Amino acid sequence: DIDHLNLRVQKELVEWLNWLKADIGFDGWRFDFAKGYSADVAKIYIDRSEPSFAVAEIWTSLAYGGDGKPNLNQDQHRQELVNWVDKVGGKEPATTFDFTTKGILNVAVEGELWRLRGTDGKAPGMIGWWPAKAVTFVDNHDTGSTQHMWPFPSDRVMQGYAYILTHPGTPCIFYDHFFDWGLKEEIDRLVSVRTRHGIHNESKLQIIEADADLYLAEIDGKVIVKLGPRYDVGNLIPGGFKVAAHGNDYAVW
């Protein structure tokens, strides 16, 4: 175990981070198991090494109901993520992985897409509150891959990417999905749509529909994304929009 409150430990870790930055060329940090030490300590490391980007892994359990599924209200869960960023400093380059969005998406794509509209009409994850500080993802080396601790439904992974790559927040693509699953072209197409239309971490999200079999949302008035098996949505798509990407139960205009 590392005693992060030990001043010598802090000094040597800061020296190591600055060496990684100056000599090796790294310009961002990922704080593993960030709930294992205080945000005040993380702030020391960020302030004294000045990375251009930093992201924390704060993985805690969602609130679950008696049916074993996540409650609709996950405010306490995303509040914990927001609190960490607040304590580190909202103007700093600090962000957190949006585990709230990950957990809700996992269940939503299994025929419960209504979950993607919170009670306030916004996205139910951290991106609904502070998208500029939320790093969205479908799976990572812990949740998917060989560890398989909280995997996204494997046959619906592209619905997950259609969501995070069109929505506010900073999307993170999982190495396995991109290089090992044969999804490179599909993911590339979505990345291209995001880039071409300038969708960014603070883009404006308007949720048009959130039903069991259909989620439809417009981003910045430029991109529309559909998740779910419902096919006939033409009456909901404004004129002038053309399909730019599509796949199993998702489409982007």
Side-chain angles (χ1 to χ4, degrees), residues 151-184:
F152 203 86
S154 59
D155 59 337
R156 300 169 195 265
V157 161
M158 282 308 304
Q159 285 188 58
Y161 281 110
Y163 184 88
I164 70 169
L165 289 171
T166 56
H167 279 53
T170 302
C172 182
I173 297 167
F174 185 35
Y175 181 100
D176 291 23
H177 292 157
F178 196 74
F179 291 105
D180 301 336
W181 283 41
L183 300 176
K184 183 179 184 298

Side-chain angles (χ1 to χ4, degrees), residues 62-180:
L62 271 66
Y64 288 89
D67 59 358
K69 292 184 177 180
N71 294 336
L72 181 60
N73 186 323
Q74 295 294 337
D75 286 357
Q76 186 176 343
H77 191 268
R78 55 180 172 172
Q79 187 66 54
E80 190 172 353
L81 303 178
V82 166
N83 288 347
W84 188 91
V85 175
D86 259 338
K87 287 181 181 177
V88 171
K91 293 181 180 178
E92 302 295 331
T95 64
T96 63
F97 285 111
D98 191 349
F99 276 92
T100 318
T101 289
K102 151 73 173 166
I104 293 169
L105 258 181
N106 266 28
V107 180
V109 297
E110 299 275 31
E112 299 181 2
L113 291 165
W114 49 267
R115 291 180 176 274
L116 296 179
R117 176 160 53 194
T119 52
D120 59 0
K122 299 179 181 179
M126 187 182 176
I127 59 171
W129 278 2
W130 203 355
K133 297 295 184 177
V135 175
T136 52
F137 67 104
V138 175
D139 265 327
N140 62 28
H141 62 284
D142 289 321
T143 67
S145 197
T146 54
Q147 299 198 66
H148 225 60
M149 292 170 70
W150 198 28
F152 203 86
S154 59
D155 59 337
R156 300 169 195 265
V157 161
M158 282 308 304
Q159 285 188 58
Y161 281 110
Y163 184 88
I164 70 169
L165 289 171
T166 56
H167 279 53
T170 302
C172 182
I173 297 167
F174 185 35
Y175 181 100
D176 291 23
H177 292 157
F178 196 74
F179 291 105
D180 301 336

